[in-house]
Amino acid sequence: MIFFHLSDLHLGKRLNEFSLLEDQKYILNQILEIVYRERPDGVLLAGDLYDKPVPPIEAVQMLDAFLTALAERGIRVFAVSGNHDSAERIAFGARLMQEQGVYFSSVYDGTVTQVTLTDHYGDVTISLLPFIRPIQVRHALEGEEAANVQEAVAAAIRHIPLEPSTRNILVAHQFVTGAMRCDSEEMTVGGLDNVDASVFDGFDYVALGHIHGPQSVGRDTVRYCGTPLKYSFSEADQEKSITVVELLEKGTVKLRTIPLIPLRDMRRIRGTYEELTLRSGYEGTNTEDYIQATLTDEEDVPDGMQKLRVIYPNLMRLEYDNQRTRTDQTVEAAQDVPRRTEMELFEEFYELQNNQTMNEEQRVLVRKLLAELKEGEGAV
């Protein structure tokens, strides 16, 4: 049985005030062409379908067209909500869409949507776990402490009914410890959103979303497929792709990738103003690409952004690397102080106020309160 693993479409995203809707429509159409050619048994969509909980109408229409095209070709879809999505909006109409082979995660209530398919090796059960926070798990699962995301995800997975002899797939949207982040991802301070890969041991394949760079974590079959498009210049050197998952007999999973070619790439170029203007198409760069330019001139170029946009109309960022900026960076680094966690700052404050250090029981309580505060902000 073969599945395409996709995630983090972020439909409706704007980057440096540039709308990416045209780029997103282009890449979704390219994915459809590959689907029609390869004919997988299903598509796993691991969250962050939209870039905002209330997406623009154009983004909603784009996802609708994409799902409709898959359903019309008989390709099943298995999707979960991510931290950028509204779980309630994603779940709306889910039972109706199941009739067309499109399965969405429900709002987490202690249970998850499960779908079982069958091939000549037997059954494959797909479990759809939406992005969850500890407070949701504590409300849904009576008696579960779930003081942090690790405990919350572990508790949620313990309550998913699994048949050990069956091939099991999990679609989820969480940050697994050890994954390499990109600049375009939201982060929590202090690792409060970390989940250890061992919580997924009961699954043959874990289709993850949330991290934008393609990678496996812990084992090959716990995998982030990455975004279909580059969403920050830290991703400029990445090759975006579809992860193809082939499940054979229990215990045998084969993985490969199919490259995706964007309408406009995201590139970093560097040189003097004269070099970048005389060499339009710098190092093979398509002048329509999204560009971050670094000028090495010692003097700033007046209206440099506007002038360079005559050649590079999609110039997003302009930076300088010269003696002045390097001196500024040195001064800032010299004045910089070591960054401390919220817990360390609180302990210091407590000691100043009470003339004694915190005991372990107090530390546990403060860690729990800090986790709840972060969770309430929704900053994952």
Side-chain angles (χ1 to χ4, degrees):
M1 197 168 293
I2 296 175
F3 297 91
F4 278 12
H5 174 192
L6 297 164
S7 78
D8 296 272
L9 305 181
H10 286 279
L11 299 181
K13 187 176 182 65
R14 298 183 67 86
L15 187 60
N16 293 302
E17 299 311 311
F18 283 75
S19 170
L20 300 181
L21 284 170
E22 185 182 11
D23 303 83
Q24 292 174 330
K25 183 177 181 179
Y26 180 90
I27 209 69
L28 288 183
N29 285 336
Q30 186 176 137
I31 290 168
L32 287 174
E33 291 174 4
I34 298 169
V35 167
Y36 298 159
R37 183 180 74 233
E38 299 270 332
R39 297 293 303 177
D41 296 285
V43 173
L44 312 174
L45 286 176
D48 280 357
L49 309 181
Y50 297 118
D51 193 55
K52 296 183 183 300
V54 183
I57 185 63
E58 296 88 350
V60 176
Q61 292 171 338
M62 196 181 302
L63 182 63
D64 177 65
F66 181 65
L67 296 176
T68 300
L70 291 171
E72 287 176 347
R73 293 296 183 108
I75 307 297
R76 300 180 184 90
V77 178
F78 306 91
V80 302
S81 55
N83 58 301
H84 279 254
D85 300 313
S86 162
E88 291 78 10
R89 286 184 172 88
I90 293 297
F92 177 77
R95 283 176 290 183
L96 288 173
M97 284 188 280
Q98 286 182 12
E99 297 177 8
Q100 301 301 317
V102 178
Y103 301 88
F104 279 104
S105 60
S106 57
V107 177
Y108 188 71
D109 61 359
T111 62
V112 301
T113 299
Q114 290 186 293
V115 183
T116 299
L117 308 178
T118 303
D119 64 8
H120 61 278
Y121 289 110
D123 290 344
V124 174
T125 298
I126 302 157
S127 301
L128 305 181
L129 179 66
F131 175 77
I132 55 173
R133 296 183 172 92
I135 192 169
Q136 295 170 282
V137 174
R138 290 196 295 271
H139 286 167
L141 299 176
E142 186 176 349
E144 293 287 355
E145 293 289 335
N148 52 47
V149 176
Q150 164 73 23
E151 294 179 4
V153 173
I157 287 176
R158 282 197 301 272
H159 286 78
I160 297 176
L162 294 179
E163 172 53 55
S165 62
T166 295
R167 292 165 294 166
N168 290 291
I169 292 176
L170 178 70
V171 186
H173 190 93
Q174 302 289 161
F175 174 58
V176 178
T177 305
M180 301 297 292
R181 294 186 187 262
C182 302
D183 291 345
S184 55
E185 297 144 9
E186 294 183 9
M187 299 177 64
T188 357
V189 177
L192 295 176
D193 57 351
N194 287 17
V195 177
D196 191 85
S198 62
V199 302
F200 305 122
D201 284 350
F203 295 91
D204 297 86
Y205 184 75
V206 183
L208 290 170
H210 190 39
I211 299 301
H212 291 184
Q215 59 194 284
S216 295
V217 188
R219 56 184 166 97
D220 289 344
T221 51
V222 176
R223 182 167 174 82
Y224 292 101
C225 61
T227 52
L229 289 172
K230 299 172 184 179
Y231 289 137
S232 76
F233 286 102
S234 66
E235 302 168 52
D237 296 329
Q238 291 182 6
E239 182 182 74
K240 298 302 185 177
S241 60
I242 300 168
T243 294
V244 182
V245 186
E246 183 177 4
L247 277 73
L248 301 174
E249 68 275 6
K250 175 74 174 179
T252 302
V253 180
K254 293 183 178 180
L255 303 178
R256 60 185 173 93
T257 57
I258 299 175
L260 293 171
I261 310 301
L263 177 64
R264 303 175 185 89
D265 208 344
M266 186 169 286
R267 300 182 187 271
R268 293 176 286 201
I269 62 176
R270 175 186 177 88
T272 65
Y273 176 76
E274 182 178 9
E275 288 171 339
L276 296 192
T277 52
L278 290 179
R279 287 191 290 159
S280 59
Y282 177 87
E283 295 182 355
T285 298
N286 182 342
T287 55
E288 296 294 320
D289 286 345
Y290 295 116
I291 300 295
Q292 174 185 299
T294 301
L295 291 178
T296 57
D297 302 84
E298 286 301 325
E299 298 294 330
D300 289 2
V301 177
D303 299 321
M305 177 74 86
Q306 288 71 24
K307 290 177 178 176
L308 283 171
R309 276 185 174 164
V310 173
I311 300 171
Y312 306 101
N314 295 314
L315 176 65
M316 287 187 168
R317 292 173 59 180
L318 176 61
E319 300 177 349
Y320 283 88
D321 181 12
N322 52 32
Q323 187 174 356
R324 173 183 58 80
T325 59
R326 287 192 292 271
T327 300
D328 290 344
Q329 290 168 4
T330 302
V331 171
E332 290 175 6
Q335 294 176 342
D336 198 15
V337 295
R339 298 184 66 178
R340 290 174 291 178
T341 65
E342 290 100 328
M343 189 67 201
E344 289 170 336
L345 292 169
F346 194 93
E347 287 181 325
E348 181 180 312
F349 175 75
Y350 181 90
E351 189 170 348
L352 288 172
Q353 290 292 312
N354 299 282
N355 200 30
Q356 61 180 353
T357 59
M358 296 173 63
N359 60 38
E360 188 56 33
E361 184 178 354
Q362 291 168 325
R363 289 190 183 93
V364 170
L365 176 60
V366 172
R367 288 191 190 100
K368 183 176 180 181
L369 290 172
L370 287 172
E372 290 177 350
L373 285 170
K374 286 292 178 185
E375 171 191 324
E377 293 172 2
V380 176

